[in-house]
């Protein structure tokens, strides 16, 4: 079973990399750009038949290693 995990900075945490990308794109002429936030993306495949159990395992991975829960949020989605 395959899942995708998207990790982003919490809304009230400054995102200097996102700001640099945003400013560069605006300088390149994309003036209608309103905001960019940078994050991380993981694709995780687990050997599990039960979706709920698999999602719990992915959630544990996120909480223990993949995500800094103080400054980051994450979202888990099953990939077809």
């Amino acid at each position: 079973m395959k899942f995708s995990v998207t990790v982003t900075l919490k809304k009230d945490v400054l995102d200097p990399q996102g700001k640099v990308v945003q400013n560069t794109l605006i300088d390149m002429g994309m003036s209608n750009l309103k905001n960019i936030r940078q994050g991380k993306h993981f694709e995780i495949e687990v050997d599990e038949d039960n979706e709920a159990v698999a999602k719990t395992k992915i959630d544990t991975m996120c909480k223990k290693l993949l995500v800094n829960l103080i400054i980051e949020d994450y979202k888990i989605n099953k990939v077809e």
Side-chain angles (χ1 to χ4, degrees):
M1 206 169 282
K2 197 176 200 177
F3 292 85
S4 100
V5 178
T6 303
V7 182
T8 55
L9 289 170
K10 292 185 178 190
K11 289 185 180 187
D12 31 336
V13 175
L14 294 176
D15 182 2
Q17 285 181 295
K19 194 54 128 174
V20 168
V21 171
Q22 178 181 343
N23 291 339
T24 302
L25 288 170
I26 289 170
D27 289 345
M28 294 172 68
M30 296 170 200
S31 58
N32 62 341
L33 182 60
K34 188 172 180 178
N35 190 28
I36 289 185
R37 304 271 302 165
Q38 181 234 289
K40 299 181 275 189
H41 177 80
F42 298 96
E43 283 193 8
I44 302 170
E45 193 167 349
V46 292
D47 189 15
E48 181 61 57
D49 294 330
N50 184 309
E51 184 175 341
V53 171
K55 205 166 188 177
T56 299
K57 289 180 180 182
I58 302 291
D59 189 58
T60 300
M61 291 177 199
C62 290
K63 289 177 179 170
K64 289 189 172 187
L65 178 67
L66 303 177
V67 179
N68 179 343
L69 296 172
I70 296 169
I71 63 169
E72 294 175 320
D73 289 322
Y74 65 99
K75 186 175 176 183
I76 301 170
N77 292 305
K78 186 172 184 258
V79 176
E80 299 300 322

